[in-house]
Amino acid sequence: MDLWTYEREQWNHGFSTLCGVDEAGAGPLAGPVYAAAVILPGELDLPGLNDSKKLTPKKRETLFDQITAAAEAYSIAFVTAEEIDQMDILNARMLAMNRAIGGLSVPPDLCLIDGNRDHGSAVAITAPHLCLVGGDGKSASIAAASILAKVSRDRYVTDVLDREYPQYQFARHKGYGTKLHYAMLDQYGPCPAHRRTFLKKWEDKRT
């Protein structure tokens, strides 16, 4: 599939500087949610570029280096577990994307946002944008953003959280609600990196 179709449409409408935006880590029980915003040179050829979920970790790492080297601008941002608990995950996702867009060194004319949501109850995407359902598999810019967000979050969970709290084995499950993760929660209880609002069903079972 040609991943530049949506970008070409917007270029033809007069939007010259397009930015892809995506987030990673909305579902896990622990750790931050990450977002990335990427402005790629037009028609940049990145062999294997695709939705980050369809790529191997090794391929994602390779593409991460190629994207950050070639991008006209990129920005990676996150919202902490504590902030997620304060506002809910939808608002946190919007805030992470706003932070990523705001961190770009080049202001985009239009942002292509993965998914069908551009606002929560308290936070909305403020930059000019279009939502694209399944965008990480349809748009080169969004696919690139999905890779930067996913790799950045995986690195944080593996390099920081796993070392701070080795008993939970975060490097193995990346904070998702796997059987192993729940077993570690049963044994050790939650740590400061856990999203307490995501643990209500688990806590109810224990009481």
Side-chain angles (χ1 to χ4, degrees), residues 47-67:
L49 182 65
N50 203 340
D51 171 3
S52 64
K53 295 185 289 294
K54 297 176 182 173
L55 302 171
T56 64
K58 186 177 179 183
K59 183 62 177 173
R60 285 196 295 263
E61 288 281 351
T62 299
L63 281 164
F64 181 98
D65 293 340
Q66 292 172 341
I67 292 163

Side-chain angles (χ1 to χ4, degrees), residues 24-48:
L29 308 178
V33 59
Y34 267 73
V38 186
I39 299 171
L40 294 176
E43 311 273 351
L44 176 68
D45 183 27
L46 287 168

Side-chain angles (χ1 to χ4, degrees), residues 20-25 32-38 74-79 92-101 145-146 148-150 152-153:
V21 187
D22 199 5
E23 44 82 13
V33 59
Y34 267 73
V38 186
Y74 73 91
S75 170
I76 300 162
F78 63 87
V79 172
R93 286 170 52 207
M94 299 303 122
L95 180 57
M97 289 194 279
N98 270 345
R99 285 176 177 172
I101 296 165
S146 81
L148 296 199
K150 171 69 174 160
S152 298
R153 186 180 190 280

Side-chain angles (χ1 to χ4, degrees), residues 113-131:
I113 309 279
D114 183 53
N116 63 352
R117 305 298 292 269
D118 63 358
H119 68 278
S121 59
V123 183
I125 302 296
T126 51
H129 64 276
L130 279 177
C131 291

